[in-house]
Amino acid sequence: MLVSRAGFLRGLIATTALPLTAHATPAEIDALGTFTADGQIDGAKPWTAMPGTGPAPLRFAVIGDNTGLARPGVFDQAMQQIGWLKPDFILSVGDLIEGYIEDKAAIAAQWAAIERSVAKAGVPFVYTPGNHDMDNEETHAAWVERRGPGYYAFRYKGALFLILNTEDPVTPLSAKVSRQMYDMIDLMAKDPDKAERAMADYAAQAKGASIKHTDPNYAEADKANISDKQLAWVRDTLARNPNPAWTFVILHKPAWKMASPAFAKIQGMLGQRNYTVFAGHTHYFTHDVLDGHDLINMGTTGGIRQQDGPGTMDHTMLVTLEADGPSFANTRLNGLMDVAGQTGQVRAY
């Protein structure tokens, strides 16, 4: 857990911390209601649309992993459900497609399916790359073509959003492991109940550990890769934005749980500013606090169960930023209902 690594983290933080700066006042938040990319983003954009200009408060919804092993229908219906909440935008922590293939047509078909679902929300959608989305040369190229940069930042309603890439560089799987994964993907499409039972049996044999953690072929794919170039960009971005009302840091892999030297440096760069971190990858919800900062590891929005416990859930988190900081409404998909009292969910946890 994060707290047990506090000494390790603080040691690196002490060498890289930026000075504390005042954050924006409520009046300034109201005046900063325009969505603005930090820096030039040429070509494809990593969002479906720019959220509209408007006053505070900022309200956005965070979702967890749809893959690996997406359960049919969960993500698609989740987009409609979250649309009922009318957030300013939906923010993904990554792993939307299954990936880990080199067939360009198959990769395009996977993204097209996601884009059809995302459109049902009726609100802008903001992308973060996960290891299933960007894992080899072909999926990386597809991301650049459709989504643009792997890491980027934007400002909106007084807040700074720092979208990181933990697949920098990418880590391919072996052909053997990829084939095994697609055998399960095919089974999930044909017989979801059987696929879920098979995965549950495997998890039980592994004493609740993720399949990625029990197969040596996954060892490298379970590391947070953040390049020196990306670290330099983080430092420059924070220097350009010294006093937002709040800073939100989004990355796919919960690097604070991985004793990541690169992420420890980023925490040092964040210094004493007000910030919150969101990640995914583990398919299990946790909430850690370090030095007063919330570090939130999202559960799933369609991905397969990887362990039993209270953190196994399909959910969304609605974040509202007001003058005194963010508030969080964590909602299970099988409890998010329309006016008729229906969720539309069949397979959600």
Side-chain angles (χ1 to χ4, degrees), residues 74-97:
V74 176
F75 179 82
D76 187 75
Q77 180 60 20
M79 292 299 97
Q80 298 189 60
Q81 291 175 280
I82 298 170
W84 303 336
L85 300 173
K86 300 300 180 185
D88 291 321
F89 57 86
I90 299 172
L91 176 62
S92 167
V93 297
D95 274 10
L96 293 173
I97 67 168

Side-chain angles (χ1 to χ4, degrees), residues 115-153:
E115 289 159 1
R116 287 193 296 270
S117 294
V118 163
K120 294 180 180 180
V123 298
F125 189 96
V126 177
Y127 293 90
T128 300
N131 56 293
H132 282 261
D133 307 316
M134 187 185 291
D135 49 75
N136 58 35
E137 290 185 7
E138 296 299 339
T139 52
H140 181 271
W143 177 278
V144 172
E145 178 183 356
R146 289 174 176 266
R147 308 276 83 89
Y151 52 88
Y152 60 99

Side-chain angles (χ1 to χ4, degrees), residues 74-300:
V74 176
F75 179 82
D76 187 75
Q77 180 60 20
M79 292 299 97
Q80 298 189 60
Q81 291 175 280
I82 298 170
W84 303 336
L85 300 173
K86 300 300 180 185
D88 291 321
F89 57 86
I90 299 172
L91 176 62
S92 167
V93 297
D95 274 10
L96 293 173
I97 67 168
E98 297 290 1
Y100 288 111
I101 49 173
E102 297 179 349
D103 186 313
K104 294 182 180 179
I107 296 167
Q110 290 181 7
W111 275 120
I114 290 299
E115 289 159 1
R116 287 193 296 270
S117 294
V118 163
K120 294 180 180 180
V123 298
F125 189 96
V126 177
Y127 293 90
T128 300
N131 56 293
H132 282 261
D133 307 316
M134 187 185 291
D135 49 75
N136 58 35
E137 290 185 7
E138 296 299 339
T139 52
H140 181 271
W143 177 278
V144 172
E145 178 183 356
R146 289 174 176 266
R147 308 276 83 89
Y151 52 88
Y152 60 99
F154 62 88
R155 297 179 295 274
Y156 188 53
K157 293 189 177 181
L160 172 68
F161 289 80
L162 202 66
I163 313 297
L164 305 182
N165 182 5
T166 54
E167 313 312 314
D168 178 24
V170 298
T171 307
L173 286 181
S174 68
K176 176 183 177 181
V177 173
S178 180
R179 285 194 300 271
Q180 291 172 341
M181 186 183 80
Y182 271 88
D183 286 343
M184 289 302 300
I185 291 170
D186 292 342
L187 180 61
M188 181 65 77
K190 296 172 183 175
D191 191 340
D193 291 331
K194 185 175 181 180
E196 288 203 61
R197 288 195 301 270
M199 289 301 298
D201 289 345
Y202 191 95
Q205 293 171 10
K207 298 180 181 180
S210 162
I211 186 173
K212 294 180 183 179
H213 293 172
T214 57
D215 190 317
N217 288 286
Y218 280 103
E220 290 300 315
D222 236 3
K223 294 180 180 178
N225 293 339
I226 301 174
S227 68
D228 289 342
K229 181 179 179 181
Q230 187 174 171
L231 286 176
W233 170 84
V234 170
R235 180 177 289 279
D236 291 345
T237 302
L238 293 175
R240 285 194 301 272
N241 298 274
N243 63 338
W246 209 268
T247 299
F248 293 99
V249 180
I250 298 87
L251 68 169
H252 178 63
K253 292 174 180 172
W256 68 91
K257 296 181 178 181
M258 300 175 175
S260 165
F263 189 70
K265 291 178 182 178
I266 291 172
Q267 288 180 280
M269 295 174 196
L270 290 163
Q272 299 179 61
R273 69 169 62 203
N274 296 308
Y275 68 88
T276 301
V277 181
F278 286 99
H281 186 64
T282 65
H283 294 207
Y284 196 83
F285 170 76
T286 61
H287 171 225
D288 294 314
V289 179
L290 178 65
D291 295 334
H293 303 293
D294 295 298
L295 294 94
I296 297 168
N297 195 165
M298 294 292 290
T300 52

